């Protein structure tokens, strides 16, 4: 009898995973497609009161962006020098792409899907007090433009901001590399989240009877404890638009388990409004 129960349980588990893989195939264009991306110019166009040279900050942003984009497993990374070499051989320039000078034929011949250009609008040190406790950190504001080289309809322009805070035993610690690295990392994560979600939206794949759902993303995009707002299928999730501007979500999910390619989330509210294929907006913790 125990053997029969075990076999039945194995069969049920197998059917669940087969369903997951079947649904992942349905969303393969958005969920599994890998595009080639290159981080183009990163420019300082605003104040830098961190005490760190702007060139070093730009190098830190470039490193973090390349690593974060690669970690999503949605992109193949083309280095900046390789990008410049490729464009030069074809008589093209980055500035030409920034200025939308090229027609679709010229854009397509590059053999590249996306170019990401970033402006550092602000990188400022701050300090604040609450009673006897002193804290401070770094504020980072970025503007960015994602250029759809192979498909101009993928062009995106938006902005992100991040605030890295630390308790300070003295006034100079807010200028430390650790806090600066936190600000760079937080701003980069937000930017990459926006870009990835716009090109490859988080989607509801399977709705389970226990008020949980399977999602088309796993480690790299989602982490245990993340909150996801789910919107109707016809709702356009515009990059950089906050939740209030999007209107009311049909459901709120919290990620409970994360695998390499997929994740499972529990519906905190709105389970009855969930449908397969609905898109979600990540609220990173």
């Amino acid at each position: 009898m125990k053997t029969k129960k075990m076999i039945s349980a194995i069969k049920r588990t197998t059917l669940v995973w087969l369903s997951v893989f079947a649904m992942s195939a349905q969303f393969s264009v958005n969920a599994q497609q890998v595009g080639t991306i290159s981080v183009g110019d990163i420019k300082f166009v605003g104040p830098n009161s961190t005490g760190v040279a702007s060139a070093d900050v730009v190098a830190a942003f470039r490193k973090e962006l390349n690593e974060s984009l690669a970690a999503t497993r949605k992109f193949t990374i083309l280095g900046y020098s390789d990008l410049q070499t490729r464009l030069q051989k074809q008589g093209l320039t980055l500035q030409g792409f920034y200025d939308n000078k090229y027609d679709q034929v010229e854009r397509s011949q590059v053999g590249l899907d996306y170019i990401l250009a970033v402006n550092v609008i602000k990188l400022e040190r701050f300090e604040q007090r609450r009673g006897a406790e002193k804290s401070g950190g770094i504020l980072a504001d970025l503007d960015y433009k994602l250029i759809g080289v192979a498909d101009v309809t993928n062009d995106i322009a938006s902005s992100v901001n991040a605030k890295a805070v630390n308790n300070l035993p003295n006034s100079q610690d807010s200028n430390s590399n650790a806090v600066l690295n936190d600000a760079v990392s937080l701003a980069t994560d937000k930017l990459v989240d926006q870009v990835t979600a716009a090109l490859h939206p988080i989607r509801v794949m399977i709705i389970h009877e226990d008020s949980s759902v399977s999602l088309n993303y796993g480690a790299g995009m989602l982490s245990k404890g993340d909150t996801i707002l789910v919107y109707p299928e016809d709702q356009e999730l515009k990059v950089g638009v906050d939740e209030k501007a999007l209107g009311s979500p049909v459901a709120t999910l919290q990620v409970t388990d994360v695998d390499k390619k997929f994740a499972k989330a529990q519906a905190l509210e709105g389970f009855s409004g969930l449908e397969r294929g609905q898109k979600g907006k990540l609220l990173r913790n």
Side-chain angles (χ1 to χ4, degrees), residues 78-89:
L78 180 69
Y80 184 75
S81 60
D82 291 335
L83 170 65
Q84 293 280 35
T85 300
R86 182 175 297 188
L87 293 179
Q88 186 177 17
K89 286 181 178 179

Side-chain angles (χ1 to χ4, degrees), residues 80-270:
Y80 184 75
S81 60
D82 291 335
L83 170 65
Q84 293 280 35
T85 300
R86 182 175 297 188
L87 293 179
Q88 186 177 17
K89 286 181 178 179
Q90 299 181 39
L92 306 173
T93 66
L94 274 172
Q95 192 61 49
F97 280 98
Y98 302 154
D99 296 339
N100 296 315
K101 288 177 58 177
Y102 304 123
D103 61 26
Q104 190 59 48
V105 174
E106 291 172 307
R107 292 167 72 103
S108 298
Q109 74 185 22
V110 179
L112 180 68
D113 294 290
Y114 314 104
I115 296 172
L116 179 62
V118 179
N119 287 329
V120 183
I121 304 300
K122 179 194 297 182
L123 200 64
E124 291 186 333
R125 182 166 60 92
F126 71 91
E127 294 182 2
Q128 59 190 21
R129 284 185 178 274
R130 288 186 179 178
E133 184 177 304
K134 182 167 62 175
S135 65
I138 303 289
L139 293 170
D141 287 347
L142 308 178
D143 281 350
Y144 69 90
K145 182 176 183 181
L146 182 74
I147 300 166
V149 180
D151 184 354
V152 69
T153 62
N154 284 326
D155 282 7
I156 297 170
S158 190
S159 61
V160 296
N161 58 75
K163 183 178 184 180
V165 182
N166 227 357
N167 291 329
L168 305 176
N170 63 68
S171 62
Q172 296 303 314
D173 284 352
S174 62
N175 198 28
S176 70
N177 284 337
V179 182
L180 175 59
N181 289 340
D182 284 347
V184 170
S185 181
L186 287 168
T188 298
D189 283 346
K190 285 187 175 183
L191 192 159
V192 172
D193 282 351
Q194 283 191 8
V195 168
T196 306
L199 298 174
H200 309 279
I202 299 169
R203 289 185 182 269
V204 175
M205 292 172 55
I206 295 179
I207 302 171
H208 304 285
E209 293 180 357
D210 62 353
S211 298
S212 67
V213 300
S214 294
L215 304 169
N216 63 326
Y217 272 96
M221 169 63 83
L222 300 177
S223 300
K224 187 175 180 179
D226 282 344
T227 300
I228 297 171
L229 302 181
V230 180
Y231 291 89
E233 177 62 22
D234 58 356
Q235 172 69 61
E236 183 181 1
L237 302 187
K238 293 183 179 180
V239 171
V241 175
D242 63 22
E243 292 72 53
K244 291 182 180 179
L246 288 173
S248 300
V250 297
T252 302
L253 309 177
Q254 185 170 59
V255 177
T256 55
D257 297 285
V258 180
D259 202 345
K260 184 176 180 180
K261 292 185 176 180
F262 307 105
K264 195 171 183 179
Q266 195 71 27
L268 302 179
E269 58 183 4

Side-chain angles (χ1 to χ4, degrees), residues 264-281:
K264 195 171 183 179
Q266 195 71 27
L268 302 179
E269 58 183 4
F271 178 72
S272 61
L274 288 170
E275 297 178 1
R276 289 179 175 180
Q278 288 173 328
K279 293 178 284 189
K281 183 176 177 63

